[in-house]
Every structure is written in structure tokens, then in C-alpha cells.
């Protein structure tokens, strides 16, 4: 069992940029008062009307550049700091392996896609397989194979990696960090036996008295968050590892950052940019999928010890700040609603 102190020490060096704020308890005070939760994100993503694929008019290239500039403002500010990595080759070996393992390659359409679990990555992998001719249609039913017929940047030679990072169109899709964690929790511990047995049993053994007989299928959300708090970020499972660690937006200069909240519009923008065939579209949500609604997130957060959320948020602070998501409102007033 790793200690919480060891987990804190293992945070990325870039977290030191927030040291003054955290040390003064300024950030935690703002969390307590719900101040940051009231700050809406800037318009980081092209509005829905940008997409020709949705049958709407596109904006001019100048307007699109303005939107991109707004979207990238916070990333440029952070990644411009002297201590931040400028390329994947400046990353420690473990961090470099992680990001290269998450960058999918399409040589045919000359793009790199950093997949983030629980941010529609299965559907994006379907699209990549269709574009590469390995799958007939995005609507083909059946369990998704997350490895076969896919090319990962990490499987290539250094010179091949450098060439693609320099010349290919690069994009990622992001999601509200707490919503993503809740989605992972409900999916992995509520539906998938392998995760219950591998992680659930261990979590209950650690954090519950007399929990030795559990099958791992009754992990509470609070127990899951406590587990995340005590884990080393760089060794987390990819389904709850911070997006920053998975895709390294300072070491990789992404041309486009789409959001889960504007999934279809942003996906259409990417497909249009890479000049995908018109028959390739982003798949509709599967009928069995249970979305995380605002009400569901509200319920789980407000039934989680506030202390636990306060201690965990700094671990995901780069995902909140870089991708312009407001911190969760966990004030007593909000939770009484």
C-alpha cells in the first residue's frame, strides 16, 4: 500500500507551478466557497454551426483561428514556462512510454489521435479502423478490440515518431475530470467483473473493515476516490489517469482539442479537416450506454466527504485548468438543492 505522502511526492514537477496557491490554501478556500465552480470556461471549441457535416454553414477561416487562439490560451501560458517539456524526448522514459502508447497513427490520413479512455475513445477507434479499411462501418456491432488493426506511435522507431509528431495533424478529446472519474467508476466497478476482481477487491481490502469477503462489486464512490488519492499518478490505470499524463499537451502540440460536451460537432470538425470520406461519421451513442448526467454527478459529489474531494482535486488540477473546466461546486448550499 502506497502512502499518501509518496503519492503526493510523485506528482509531476509541473504541479509545482500551483505550489504557492496550494501552500496558502487559496485554491482549497476557493473550492470550499464554490468560487471557481461559478467560473464558466471560455469558448474553447468551435460552435456547432461550424460543421458542414451537420448541414450548417461554416465560419470563415479567420473566425476559426480566433476560436483556436482562445481555446489554446491557457495551454500556451502553462506550457510556455521554462520548466515544462518541449517535446516527448524531454519526458522521463515512463511518461514518454505512456503518451506514445496512447497516440494512434493514421498514415493514410496523416493524423495522430491521443485516445483518452471514457472520452468516446471506442468510437474514435472505430472511425480509425474504418478509415484504414480494417472495419466496414462505424455501425458494426460487437465488442471493440482496442489493440488489433490499430497502429500506435510507440511501436515506431524514434525517427518515425519525430516525423509524425512534426508533420501530422494531432488532436485529442477531453472531458470534465470528475464526470470522467464517475463514468469510469460506474462502468468498471458496476459492470466489468475483471475490474471488480483486480481493483475492487484490493480497494475494499484497503479501506473497509472486515471487507475481506467482498467480490469487489460493491466498491463505493468514496472508496474509489480514496484509492485514487493514495495512488501514484504515473502508475494509475489509464481509465482514471489524468488526461495531462496520458497525452502530455506540453510535450505534444495538439492542433485541435475537442470536448466530450460538444462531441458530435467537434468530431465533425476533425473529420472534415482530415478530409475523411463523407460516409464516415461519428457513431451514435450505443443504446446500452448510461450517460453521466449533471444530476447524477451532483448526487455522487454531494454524498462524498468534502475533505476527500478537496484532497483529490489537486491531483487533477492540470486537467481542470488546461482544458478550462470549472472545479466542482461542493458547497453545502449547492448540495442542499
Amino acid at each position: 500500500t502506497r502512502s499518501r505522502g509518496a503519492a503526493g511526492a510523485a506528482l509531476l514537477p509541473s504541479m509545482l507551478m500551483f505550489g504557492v496557491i496550494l501552500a496558502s490554501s487559496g485554491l482549497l478556500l476557493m473550492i470550499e466557497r464554490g468560487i471557481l465552480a461559478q467560473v464558466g470556461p471560455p469558448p474553447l471549441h468551435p460552435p456547432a454551426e461550424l460543421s458542414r457535416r451537420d448541414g450548417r454553414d461554416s465560419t470563415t477561416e479567420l473566425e476559426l483561428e480566433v476560436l483556436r487562439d482562445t481555446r489554446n490560451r491557457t495551454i500556451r501560458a502553462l506550457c510556455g514556462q521554462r520548466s515544462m517539456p518541449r517535446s516527448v524526448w524531454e519526458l522521463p522514459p515512463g511518461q514518454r512510454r505512456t503518451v506514445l502508447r496512447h497516440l494512434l497513427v493514421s498514415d493514410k490520413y496523416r493524423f495522430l489521435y491521443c485516445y483518452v479512455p471514457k472520452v468516446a475513445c471506442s468510437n474514435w477507434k472505430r472511425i480509425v479502423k474504418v478509415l484504414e479499411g480494417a472495419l466496414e462501418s462505424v455501425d458494426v456491432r460487437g465488442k471493440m478490440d482496442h489493440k488489433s488493426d490499430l497502429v500506435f506511435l510507440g511501436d515506431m522507431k524514434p525517427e518515425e515518431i519525430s516525423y509524425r509528431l512534426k508533420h501530422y495533424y494531432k488532436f485529442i478529446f477531453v472531458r470534465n475530470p470528475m464526470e470522467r472519474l464517475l463514468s469510469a467508476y460506474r462502468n468498471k466497478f458496476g459492470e466489468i467483473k475483471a475490474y471488480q476482481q483486480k481493483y475492487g477487491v484490493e480497494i475494499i481490502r484497503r479501506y473497509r473493515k472486515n471487507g475481506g469477503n467482498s467480490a469487489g462489486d460493491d466498491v463505493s464512490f468514496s472508496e474509489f476516490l480514496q484509492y485514487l488519492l493514495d495512488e501514484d499518478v504515473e502508475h494509475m490505470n489509464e481509465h482514471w489517469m489524468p488526461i495531462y499524463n496520458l497525452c502530455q499537451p506540453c510535450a505534444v502540440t495538439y492542433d485541435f482539442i475537442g470536448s466530450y460536451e460538444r462531441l458530435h460537432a467537434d468530431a465533425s470538425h476533425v473529420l472534415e479537416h482530415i478530409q475523411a470520406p463523407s460516409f464516415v461519421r461519428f457513431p451514435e451513442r450505443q443504446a446500452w450506454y448510461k450517460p453521466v448526467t449533471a444530476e447524477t454527478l451532483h448526487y455522487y459529489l454531494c454524498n462524498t466527504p468534502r475533505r476527500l474531494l478537496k484532497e483529490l482535486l489537486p491531483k487533477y488540477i492540470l486537467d481542470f485548468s488546461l482544458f478550462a473546466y470549472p472545479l466542482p461546486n461542493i458547497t453545502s448550499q449547492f448540495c442542499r438543492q
Side-chain angles (χ1 to χ4, degrees):
T1 302
R2 297 184 182 92
S3 68
R4 190 174 310 166
L11 291 177
L12 288 174
S14 54
M15 288 295 292
L16 294 176
M17 298 189 59
F18 299 92
V20 175
I21 300 175
L22 294 176
S24 67
S25 299
L27 176 61
L28 300 186
L29 181 63
M30 287 189 281
I31 294 171
E32 168 71 28
R33 296 179 177 176
I35 295 173
L36 293 187
Q38 308 301 322
V39 180
L44 298 191
H45 317 289
E49 60 265 25
L50 283 185
S51 174
R52 293 190 186 94
R53 288 169 181 260
D54 287 347
R56 302 181 177 96
D57 293 332
S58 63
T59 64
T60 64
E61 184 64 25
L62 177 60
E63 289 171 321
L64 184 57
E65 287 298 323
V66 171
L67 288 167
R68 287 174 177 167
D69 181 66
T70 305
R71 176 197 65 201
N72 292 325
R73 192 167 44 199
T74 52
I75 292 179
R76 285 203 305 267
L78 178 75
C79 297
Q81 301 296 316
R82 187 176 302 173
S83 61
M84 302 304 289
R86 295 294 193 273
S87 77
V88 296
W89 308 115
E90 294 182 17
L91 294 169
Q95 294 178 27
R96 182 165 61 247
R97 278 194 302 271
T98 295
V99 64
L100 294 181
R101 197 168 58 220
H102 284 81
L103 281 163
L104 285 171
V105 181
S106 171
D107 284 329
K108 185 176 180 180
Y109 289 90
R110 296 176 66 84
F111 69 76
L112 301 177
Y113 158 58
C114 187
Y115 79 88
V116 178
K118 308 313 298 179
V119 191
C121 75
S122 294
N123 279 339
W124 269 114
K125 287 177 180 179
R126 288 181 192 274
I127 288 177
V128 173
K129 290 187 179 188
V130 170
L131 291 174
E132 296 297 314
L135 196 64
E136 183 179 341
S137 167
V138 295
D139 297 319
V140 171
R141 293 290 180 260
K143 188 175 180 180
M144 179 66 187
D145 188 326
H146 290 267
K147 297 296 181 183
S148 68
D149 300 316
L150 293 169
V151 178
F152 298 88
L153 197 60
D155 294 331
M156 296 184 169
K157 298 175 182 178
E159 59 271 20
E160 296 173 328
I161 292 172
S162 294
Y163 176 85
R164 285 160 178 79
L165 284 170
K166 182 177 180 180
H167 296 287
Y168 281 19
Y169 180 72
K170 299 172 288 294
F171 68 93
I172 60 174
F173 273 70
V174 299
R175 186 178 187 179
N176 180 297
M178 292 309 302
E179 185 180 299
R180 177 174 170 250
L181 289 181
L182 179 55
S183 178
Y185 162 75
R186 294 173 77 197
N187 174 236
K188 301 307 176 188
F189 297 104
E191 302 171 8
I192 301 180
K193 196 164 187 176
Y195 274 78
Q196 294 168 359
Q197 293 174 340
K198 181 176 181 179
Y199 295 99
V201 171
E202 171 64 15
I203 290 172
I204 290 172
R205 185 190 65 78
R206 285 194 202 181
Y207 304 115
R208 190 184 303 175
K209 290 183 179 179
N210 304 318
N213 295 325
S214 172
D217 58 352
D218 59 340
V219 175
S220 71
F221 189 56
S222 294
E223 288 170 335
F224 173 58
L225 296 188
Q226 183 66 55
Y227 168 73
L228 298 183
L229 180 60
D230 292 339
E231 279 297 282
D232 177 351
V233 171
E234 293 184 27
H235 295 96
M236 282 182 174
N237 180 280
E238 63 176 6
H239 289 86
W240 43 80
M241 181 182 283
I243 298 173
Y244 180 91
N245 298 72
L246 290 173
C247 295
Q248 295 289 344
C250 290
V252 178
T253 304
Y254 291 98
D255 299 289
F256 183 77
I257 299 174
S259 73
Y260 188 83
E261 296 75 23
R262 305 186 59 82
L263 186 56
H264 283 272
D266 286 355
S268 294
H269 171 81
V270 170
L271 291 171
E272 185 174 314
H273 184 91
I274 64 174
Q275 298 183 332
S278 59
F279 70 87
V280 178
R281 54 173 177 73
F282 199 81
E284 294 300 322
R285 179 182 290 161
Q286 301 286 343
W288 50 263
Y289 180 74
K290 299 176 183 177
V292 174
T293 65
E295 291 76 19
T296 307
L297 183 61
H298 178 274
Y299 172 82
Y300 275 93
L301 291 181
C302 289
N303 283 279
T304 299
R306 199 173 302 178
R307 170 203 60 81
L308 182 56
L309 286 171
K310 287 181 190 176
E311 292 181 8
L312 182 65
L313 284 176
K315 216 161 197 173
Y316 291 86
I317 195 64
L318 290 176
D319 284 3
F320 281 105
S321 57
L322 286 181
F323 307 126
Y325 285 107
L327 292 170
N329 190 339
I330 53 172
T331 62
S332 299
Q333 179 182 1
F334 180 74
C335 288
R336 280 196 298 266
Q337 295 176 6

